Amino acid sequence: MKFDDAITIKDIAKALNLSTSTVSRALRGRYEISAETKKLVMEYAERMNYRPNPIALSLKEQRSKAIGVVVSEIANNFFSQAINGIESIAYNNGYHVIITQTHESKEREMVNIQHLVSRSVDGLLLSLSCETTDLSYLKQLHEKGFPIVQFDRVTNEIDTHRVTADNYMGAFQATEHLIAQGFRKIGHITSTSNLSITRERLQGYRDALEKHNMSYDAGLVKHCTHGGMIYDEVEEAVESLFQSRSKVDAIFTAGDRLTTVTLSALKNVAKKYKQVGFIGFTNTNLAELFTPPVSVIRQPAFEIGQSATELLIRMIESKRPVTEFENRVLPSSLIIRESSALIPS
Amino acid sequence: MKFDDAITIKDIAKALNLSTSTVSRALRGRYEISAETKKLVMEYAERMNYRPNPIALSLKEQRSKAIGVVVSEIANNFFSQAINGIESIAYNNGYHVIITQTHESKEREMVNIQHLVSRSVDGLLLSLSCETTDLSYLKQLHEKGFPIVQFDRVTNEIDTHRVTADNYMGAFQATEHLIAQGFRKIGHITSTSNLSITRERLQGYRDALEKHNMSYDAGLVKHCTHGGMIYDEVEEAVESLFQSRSKVDAIFTAGDRLTTVTLSALKNVAKKYKQVGFIGFTNTNLAELFTPPVSVIRQPAFEIGQSATELLIRMIESKRPVTEFENRVLPSSLIIRESSALIPS
DNA sequence: TTGTATGCGTTATCAA
DNA sequence: TTGATAACGCATACAA
C-alpha cells in the first residue's frame, strides 16, 4: 500500500511528456539537459513536492545515506549524549541514524550488526557490549573495507578509527583527588575487564596509588559483570568493601550506571559508617543531588559522538580505502564538588 | 560497493540451475514446488547463509517490517524505558525499530516523520513535541490509513489508538499525598499546556485541592515552556514560588526532566527554607538519592511502549482498516519514600 | 511443477 | 539534447 502520496519520476515524465531518464537528469542538474527542460522539470517537481524514494536509491546505489549505531543501552546518559553528538554531525551531512541496543548481549550485538549491514547502512559506529568475544564477523566486515569506527568501548583486535574518553587520566586524577582528601583505603567498583574502558581506568587507579606510595590491593577492586544492570551485584560489592577485613574509607566507581547504583546502595549500606569518600564516572547530574554533592568525572560524550561520526563520514565518502587509523582520546573532566565525603543520614 | 557477501536468489538459481522464481517460491515454501526442489534450495540457501535483501523487499512490497518512533529526547528515562518496551515487542514480531528525536522542535518532528514515511516504515509510534501546532500532514497521513499510534503525549485532533499513563490519577494522588502530609500551599511546576499530559496533570492537581477544600491559585502553577531543557527557566520558577507573596510549602513537578532539574534547583534555592514538601513525576531513580528520599510518581513507561507497539503491529497486519480506536490508560504508581520533606543542608 | 516477464523507483549506458 | 533499456533483489501473474 502507498500512503505516501509521493510522486515518482515516472509521474513527472508522464505529466511532462518526457522520458524518465530526462527527468532524472534534469533533476540532478546534468549539463546535457537544456535549460528550458530543466526549468520545466524542476518547477513541476517543486510544485508537486517530489522527493526521491530513498529505498529505490538504496537498492540502486547499494548505499543508504544512513549510519548504524550499536550501543549497549540508550537509557544511559553517556550513550544518549553521545547519540546526540552523532546525530548532530550525521544530520548536517545528510545522513540518517539508526540506533540499536545490545543490552550487553553478544547475540543481540551480532544480530543488530548483521541487520544494519543488510539494511545497507553505509557505516557503523560501534561501542562493544560487555560480553563480546567473537569478533570474527566484525573483522571480516572490516577487512572487506566496510567503514567502522569504534567509540568508548573499543578493542585493539580490530584496527579501525577509535574515539574514546581519556579514561586513564580520568581515573588517575579521580584517585589522586581522593588521596588528596586524605582517604587511605580506596575501593574501586568497575565492570568486566573484557572492556577496554575497565582496564584503562583500573590502570589509572593503580598508577595514582603507586605515585603516592599506597599499595595496590586487588581485594579492593570489585568487578560487576553486568555493568550495574543488576542492583544486587553492586550492593554486594559495596557491602564487601565495608567488611572488616578490607574496610575502605572511599569508593571510586567506573561507569555511568555503576555510579548511579552505587550511590543508591551507599544510601542503604553506608549508614553504618561515618564518612565515605566518593567519586565516580558519570554523565548524569545525579551526583549533585547528594548531600553534600559528590565529585564526579564527566566524559565528553557529545564530543565523542561528534568526533566518531566525522571520522566515519570521512571514511564513507573517501574514494580510496583508509589504511592509517586514528586514535582520538578526548579529555575527561574532573568536577569537584563541595566535598567528596558522603555523610550518611 | 558490496561489503555484504550476501548471496542473492539469482546466485542460488544459477548454482542450482533453476529459475529465480522457482528459488523464490521454494524459499517461501509455496505448495507448487516439489518437495525435492524445495529441499535442494533450502539446503543450499542455508549452507550459503542466504538472507533476503530487506531493501529489495521494501521496494517490492512497499513495506519494510520497520516501525518508526518519534520522541522528543532519548536522554529521558521515560522515553528510553518506553523504547525498551517498544523494542521488546517489535523484535518478537520481526519488526525493526527506527528511533528519531525531535528535541522538542516541530521542524525536526516534521522532517523526521516525512523521512520515516518515505523510508517506508510500516507504522509510526508518536509522542508529540511541545511545539507541535500544525498537524495537517499527520492528519492526512492518518486519513490515508497509515498506521499511527500515539503514546504519552497525545492529541485528540487525530483519532488514533492512544496509550498513555494515568496522568490525571497520578497527579491527583500525588497532590493528595502532599496534603495528607500537612502541606497547605502546594506549587506545581509543569510544561506547556499544549501538551495533553500537562493538562491532565493540572486537572488532577486541581481536583485534589478542591476535594480537600483548598483553593486553587493559578499563581502557584509555573509553566516551563522548554519542559526543563533550560535550567534557568526552572530555577526562576522555583524561586518565584518561594517569594513572599505566594510562598509555597511544597512542590509538585510534572515531568521527568522537570523533576530532575527542580530537585537540583531546590538544592540551591531552598537552602533558605526549613522544609519543603516534594513529589514529582519521574522514571529515574534520582529521587531516592535525596536525603531524605523523596516520593515520586512513576509511569509505566516500558508497558506503555509495549502496549503501543502491540496496537501498532495489529493495525499494520490487519487487512481491513481500523475504525474503532482504543484509548489505553495505564496506571501510574505512587512511590512513597521515607518522607517527602526535603531538609536543606 | 517450473520458467518467463514485469514491476517496485532510480540511475547509467548506449543509441538516436 | 533526449530516449530506450538494463540493472539493483525480490515476488508474482501468467505461460508452458
Side-chain angles (χ1 to χ4, degrees), chain A residues 115-185:
Chain A
H115 189 253
L116 287 172
V117 172
S118 76
R119 273 256 151 213
S120 296
V121 293
D122 298 338
L124 231 37
L125 291 172
L126 216 54
S127 182
L128 295 169
S129 79
C130 283
E131 277 189 339
T132 307
T133 45
D134 181 18
L135 295 164
S136 57
Y137 175 73
L138 223 46
K139 228 178 232 164
Q140 277 175 36
L141 210 56
H142 175 241
E143 277 158 12
K144 267 176 282 180
F146 189 82
I148 297 176
V149 174
Q150 298 186 69
F151 72 101
D152 187 46
R153 303 165 169 195
V154 302
T155 174
N156 289 323
E157 294 186 44
I158 314 175
D159 194 26
T160 66
H161 288 313
R162 274 184 278 272
V163 183
T164 53
D166 194 341
N167 289 294
Y168 174 83
M169 194 47 86
F172 186 89
Q173 290 175 344
T175 310
E176 266 203 314
H177 174 67
L178 288 175
I179 294 171
Q181 298 234 298
F183 297 106
R184 314 307 303 162
K185 204 150 185 193

Side-chain angles (χ1 to χ4, degrees), chain B residues 19 21-22 25 32 37 60 62:
Chain B
S19 75
S21 40
T22 305
R25 279 180 287 226
E32 316 116 336
T37 320
K60 179 91 186 78
Q62 307 284 11

